[in-house]
Amino acid sequence: EATELLKKLELTFEQTGKLRVIKDGVLSPTPVIDLATAMRPVNAAEIAPGSYGEGGFLSMVFDPNFATTKRVWLSYTTPGPSYTLAEFKMDNPDSIDAGTFKEVFNFKQYPFLFGDATNHVGSMVAFGPDGCLYISRGDGGGENDRQMSGQNTKDDLCSILRIDPDTYPTPAPGN
């Protein structure tokens, strides 16, 4: 039942934090969720047309057992700038309950001499066949991997993180 619903569900993501449903080819005026008003809001103020910022609403993934759990995870940037991964409940296709917000983690981007970086955040979230959640992390901003985070195995940046969302922050089996 939930799988069939998800196959029919058309969603549109707006960088400024709104997730909307498209029904019968018509965009719903009411967002499923507006991350600008969530517990840890999207950094919509830092996103302007033509800006270099690559932040905002980045990605979404449904729980593999969505029919039972009704859980979804959203990844987005927040003021600071930081990267947030948060869990929410979606009891119906027209609404994600912002009151069910559960922050999984929040990472600060690297500061620079001329301000904090708002790019190279990473954005992919997906479940693997092992049931773990995989999260891509960019290099932290700027260009040319200034912090050398891609060369540092102890840094979470430039990495694919693997977590069990039910037990995090306890490491997933096999990590």
Side-chain angles (χ1 to χ4, degrees):
E1 167 189 340
T3 303
E4 289 305 310
L5 169 70
L6 293 177
K7 285 180 184 175
K8 296 176 186 175
L9 191 60
E10 288 185 70
L11 299 170
T12 180
F13 299 79
E14 297 176 13
Q15 187 179 15
T16 56
K18 290 185 174 101
L19 175 66
R20 297 182 195 265
V21 173
I22 300 171
K23 289 184 183 175
D24 301 320
V26 177
L27 181 65
S28 172
T30 306
V32 174
I33 191 167
D34 184 351
L35 292 173
T37 59
M39 296 295 293
R40 187 179 287 274
V42 70
N43 60 337
E46 297 175 23
I47 300 166
S51 76
Y52 190 59
E54 297 169 7
F57 189 3
L58 302 171
S59 190
M60 174 181 184
V61 67
F62 290 88
D63 190 306
N65 299 310
F66 179 78
T68 306
T69 67
K70 305 295 186 199
R71 296 186 304 178
V72 297
W73 285 266
L74 307 179
S75 72
Y76 54 99
T77 59
T78 55
S82 298
Y83 171 83
T84 295
L85 178 70
E87 175 189 316
F88 293 89
K89 296 277 184 163
M90 187 176 188
D91 289 325
N92 73 66
D94 295 323
S95 177
I96 291 176
D97 183 355
T100 62
F101 169 91
K102 177 182 170 191
E103 186 174 272
V104 178
F105 51 69
N106 180 274
F107 294 113
K108 180 151 176 43
Q109 291 289 93
Y110 278 129
F112 289 111
L113 183 61
F114 301 108
D116 290 333
T118 60
N119 63 334
H120 298 195
V121 180
S123 62
M124 185 273 314
V125 291
F127 277 92
D130 58 0
C132 287
L133 186 57
Y134 289 77
I135 303 105
S136 72
R137 295 282 292 133
D139 69 9
E143 69 261 345
N144 303 321
D145 191 16
R146 294 180 197 179
Q147 304 74 235
M148 299 299 290
S149 53
Q151 311 309 311
N152 183 352
T153 59
K154 298 195 184 319
D155 194 333
D156 64 54
L157 293 168
C158 279
S159 300
I160 302 289
L161 307 179
R162 177 181 172 269
I163 67 168
D164 180 336
D166 294 318
T167 62
Y168 184 81
T170 301
N175 280 8

